[in-house]
Amino acid sequence: KWVPLIIRKEIIKVKGQEDIEFDIKITRHGPVIDDLNKYKMQGGLALAMRWSQVDFPEVFKGFRLVNHAKTIEDIEAAAGYAKSGQNWVYADDRGNIGFYFLGGIPRRNGFTGELPVPGWDGRHEWEGYVPYWEQPHLRNPQQEYIVNANNKVEPEGYPYVITKYYATPDRFVRIQELLEAKDKLGAQDFEKMQADTVMVMARDWIEGWNTFLKPENC
């Protein structure tokens, strides 16, 4: 059936100019964004975008809980509320280390969320969210360290789509190299890591190019 838009009127204050009146058109699938990106759908259609962040009003409860956490188990319980789109890396005073991805992951059936889909046929509704204990996380991994630098966080074969647009793994790879370079690391080693300027992608390109230019390969 037809469902009326919710229209919220906003006034944007502009210094030295008149106020701008702006209507935000809200559907059950999120706000209409045509006016924001100047993209006009053909055939009288409009483009709305749903954002998982607005579905988790208890985010700050998670931050309150983690501020009072005593153990790694307390931190993991707080992660169930703190759906803030962040990655948490943490440790407790018992020698435990951990990682948790905190974004809300929609359950989608038959589509990935990468492209617009019909919002009126009922076949592309989100089927709730992945429970927090099924979100990517680690506790005391075998390698005894955790690296996170905007890299891909889900393991191979993970059944839910988080994103297809992770950053290139250069920083992740370089941090891993530096951590594994020595058996024991001190404060000076971590200072050097912070100031490290090696770009893994450029290094690999140069090595590949030099190999290509060898006489036996030309």
Side-chain angles (χ1 to χ4, degrees):
K1 65 180 181 180
W2 288 97
V3 179
L5 290 171
I6 298 173
I7 299 179
R8 194 174 74 210
K9 294 187 175 294
E10 297 284 349
I11 296 177
I12 302 173
K13 299 288 185 179
V14 181
K15 183 177 181 179
Q17 299 182 36
E18 294 183 359
D19 295 347
I20 297 175
E21 295 185 0
F22 186 80
D23 290 344
I24 298 178
K25 309 176 187 73
I26 302 172
T27 75
R28 64 192 182 96
H29 293 126
V32 175
I33 64 171
D34 292 16
D35 293 338
L36 297 182
N37 62 9
K38 305 302 181 184
Y39 177 67
K40 299 299 182 182
M41 298 289 286
Q42 299 297 317
L45 304 179
L47 188 66
M49 184 166 64
R50 186 174 179 185
W51 186 34
S52 62
Q53 197 70 46
V54 300
D55 291 338
F56 298 101
E58 294 186 303
V59 168
F60 288 103
K61 179 177 180 179
F63 285 108
R64 180 176 62 81
L65 289 173
V66 79
N67 282 329
H68 293 275
K70 302 295 184 183
T71 67
I72 198 169
E73 291 84 4
D74 293 340
I75 297 173
E76 291 170 349
Y81 296 97
K83 299 292 184 70
S84 57
Q86 296 176 314
N87 295 319
W88 275 358
V89 180
Y90 43 86
D92 66 13
D93 58 5
R94 302 174 188 178
N96 297 301
I97 61 173
F99 158 84
Y100 234 105
F101 169 75
L102 301 181
I105 306 173
R107 291 182 181 270
R108 302 181 179 97
N109 184 16
F111 68 107
T112 65
E114 295 175 87
L115 298 172
V117 292
W120 57 84
D121 60 9
R123 293 187 295 110
H124 301 94
E125 301 299 321
W126 292 359
E127 299 174 357
Y129 286 93
V130 175
Y132 84 93
W133 57 86
E134 292 185 19
Q135 294 179 198
H137 64 281
L138 294 170
R139 186 201 284 188
N140 297 329
Q142 186 175 0
Q143 72 268 21
E144 297 184 332
Y145 64 81
I146 294 173
V147 179
N148 182 249
N150 290 353
N151 51 283
K152 181 180 178 180
V153 296
E154 68 268 30
E156 292 300 324
Y158 189 69
Y160 309 107
V161 175
I162 297 176
T163 181
K164 298 292 184 71
Y165 301 101
Y166 284 113
T168 55
D170 296 60
R171 289 189 297 144
F172 174 86
V173 171
R174 183 57 180 160
I175 294 169
Q176 198 169 37
E177 289 176 348
L178 294 170
L179 287 174
E180 294 182 350
K182 297 171 65 175
D183 291 333
K184 188 174 182 179
L185 298 166
Q188 289 184 340
D189 296 303
F190 288 102
E191 287 178 8
K192 291 179 181 178
M193 287 185 198
Q194 290 288 339
D196 186 76
T197 59
V198 173
M199 184 177 180
V200 172
M201 185 185 299
R203 182 189 64 192
D204 293 346
W205 284 351
I206 291 170
E207 290 177 357
W209 182 247
N210 289 338
T211 300
F212 175 75
L213 290 179
K214 289 182 178 180
E216 62 269 24
N217 295 327
C218 294

